[in-house]
Amino acid sequence: MKLSYQIYKFKLKETFSISYGDYSFREALIISLSHNNKSGYGECTAIDYYKIDLQSYLIIIQKIQAQIESQKIVAPTEFYQFLKKLYLPNFLASALDCAYWDLYGKLEQKTFFELNKIEVIHRLPKSSITISINTIENQIKKIEQSNWQKFKVKCKGFSEENLEKLAHLNHEIAIDSNASFTIADCKKIASLASAQKMIYFEQPMPTGIENYSNLNSNLYPNWMADEDLQDVSQLKNLQNHYQSVNIKLMKCGGITPALQLISEAKKLGFKIMIGCMTESTIGISAGAVLTPFADFVDLDGANLIENDIANGTKVRNGTIEFCEKHGLGIELI
């Protein structure tokens, strides 16, 4: 194999405001693995609140490049076992794992679904699109003007008045506070009828059992873990407190560990969301192959950037339109 890589700067269509800060662009490391005139692609995004430093990743890649390029073409699960021995950061491991799945499918002339004998159902959950922090009036205006059906509304801190206004809209709405709620906020939310109209409340408080132990998975609302879930080992601790989990490829280390995470989460009764960072069609195409297992989908990342660099699976007004080409179907523009 040949390993290639490059950092791209993606300009956002508008400033993306969440509780962690305001962003006008995202930088991403794009990985390419090539063999026999076929190339597979993976992506990892620089997320400051995850402390992702792409320059440090370049140093790591330079150190391991020869080891990767010396690997024979084997099954993706076997390739991932090799990656685990390198002790890579999850974001970087994800880019390599996804690139390999894409390459392997292209070499085998099979789609991801064919390789894994997955039946692609026709009525997949529709993806939400993110409404970033703004005045509630502007957020509602964006929702009403959109052709999407599901929305994830960002907020910083809890407002009962704003929740009531969102609950009265004729749309499917979720709330993502990006860990900006307090224990008292969550107890208040659990008492409100308007909260039951929300699809879910994602990562309501800062990470840690001292916070999420105050949530009850047996009652409304539908609490969803994001940063509180990083790998399989945390699932049982979350079980009595979260009903749902947000599985993102970069967060857990790629498609291969995500498949295991989905399997174990379903055994424990969790509902599954396949989510994303702000990323191009490369990352979205990788995440999309897991949506047949999902109860919720949040794969709007490529819809938020101006200068996408790839073709593949697209999400149009929330509908997932799979690319039918081999591998993950990713091609650079």
Side-chain angles (χ1 to χ4, degrees):
M1 285 187 294
K2 180 182 178 182
L3 168 63
S4 303
Y5 47 90
Q6 185 174 343
I7 292 177
Y8 286 83
K9 186 174 183 178
F10 295 127
K11 183 179 179 181
L12 303 186
K13 292 178 180 178
E14 60 180 46
T15 300
F16 187 64
S17 298
I18 60 177
S19 67
Y20 296 120
D22 301 326
Y23 306 92
S24 60
F25 68 91
R26 289 289 197 196
E27 287 190 329
L29 175 62
I30 306 302
I31 298 285
S32 171
L33 293 173
S34 303
H35 183 72
N36 284 355
N37 297 316
K38 302 289 185 181
S39 295
Y41 302 96
E43 175 178 7
C44 63
T45 308
I47 304 293
D48 56 348
Y49 50 89
Y50 274 92
K51 297 180 172 57
I52 305 302
D53 177 11
L54 296 185
Q55 294 301 319
S56 69
Y57 284 10
L58 294 181
I59 295 171
I60 295 171
I61 289 175
Q62 290 164 6
K63 290 180 179 178
I64 64 173
Q65 183 163 4
Q67 290 175 265
I68 291 175
E69 293 184 337
S70 66
Q71 292 300 300
K72 295 180 180 179
I73 300 300
V74 295
T77 51
E78 190 174 340
F79 180 74
Y80 190 78
Q81 292 305 310
F82 155 73
L83 289 181
K84 284 179 66 175
K85 295 176 182 177
L86 299 177
Y87 299 101
L88 302 174
N90 279 1
F91 276 52
L92 181 54
S94 176
L96 288 162
D97 179 65
C98 294
Y100 191 82
W101 271 106
D102 192 28
L103 171 63
Y104 186 80
K106 289 169 180 173
L107 292 172
E108 293 292 311
Q109 298 185 33
K110 293 182 178 181
T111 66
F112 177 86
F113 304 115
E114 290 170 335
L115 288 172
N116 292 279
K117 297 180 173 58
I118 296 172
E119 181 181 355
V120 182
I121 57 177
H122 294 291
R123 293 184 61 82
L124 290 168
K126 288 186 177 292
S127 173
S128 57
I129 191 165
T130 302
I131 305 296
S132 65
I133 291 174
N134 206 315
T135 64
I136 189 63
E137 291 76 19
N138 284 339
Q139 288 181 317
I140 290 173
K141 184 178 179 181
K142 286 185 178 180
I143 291 170
E144 298 288 12
Q145 291 177 344
S146 175
N147 292 321
W148 292 58
Q149 297 176 15
K150 294 186 177 183
F151 302 89
K152 183 160 75 171
V153 177
K154 298 281 190 177
C155 59
K156 185 173 185 179
F158 174 62
S159 166
E160 183 177 351
E161 180 182 357
N162 289 354
L163 183 65
E164 292 289 340
K165 289 179 179 179
L166 293 171
H168 282 89
L169 299 179
N170 188 29
H171 295 283
E172 295 184 71
I173 295 174
I175 303 295
D176 187 0
S177 72
N178 286 114
S180 67
F181 291 169
T182 65
I183 293 172
D185 290 335
C186 291
K187 290 181 177 179
K188 177 66 176 178
I189 290 166
S191 72
L192 298 174
S194 55
Q196 297 184 25
K197 296 183 179 181
M198 301 296 106
I199 308 172
Y200 54 81
F201 285 80
E202 184 177 349
Q203 194 60 44
M205 293 179 285
T207 57
I209 192 168
E210 67 277 11
N211 288 317
Y212 71 70
S213 62
N214 294 277
L215 307 177
N216 189 337
S217 63
N218 296 314
L219 302 172
Y220 283 102
N222 175 12
W223 303 113
M224 178 182 289
D226 185 2
E227 287 86 359
D228 268 324
L229 175 68
Q230 301 294 330
D231 57 52
V232 170
S233 67
Q234 297 168 309
L235 283 171
K236 288 191 176 180
N237 286 340
L238 302 177
Q239 191 176 16
N240 293 327
H241 310 292
Y242 285 109
Q243 292 181 19
S244 305
V245 291
N246 184 355
I247 296 176
K248 299 175 181 176
L249 299 186
M250 293 186 206
K251 187 174 62 170
C252 69
I255 291 173
T256 306
L259 287 167
Q260 180 193 8
L261 186 52
I262 289 169
S263 176
E264 293 302 316
K266 282 183 172 291
K267 289 177 186 177
L268 294 174
F270 287 102
K271 291 185 177 180
I272 306 296
M273 183 163 83
I274 303 301
C276 67
M277 309 295 180
T278 307
E279 53 200 81
S280 75
T281 291
I282 294 173
I284 298 303
S285 296
V289 299
L290 301 180
T291 55
F293 303 111
D295 301 285
F296 311 101
V297 175
D298 183 46
L299 292 176
D300 62 342
N303 291 275
L304 306 179
I305 64 176
E306 282 189 357
N307 53 331
D308 200 353
I309 61 170
N311 287 320
T313 294
K314 298 292 184 179
V315 181
R316 301 186 196 279
N317 296 330
T319 299
I320 299 166
E321 299 179 358
F322 287 114
C323 177
E324 297 181 356
K325 295 182 178 180
H326 297 145
L328 304 180
I330 301 168
E331 294 180 342
L332 295 187
I333 297 173

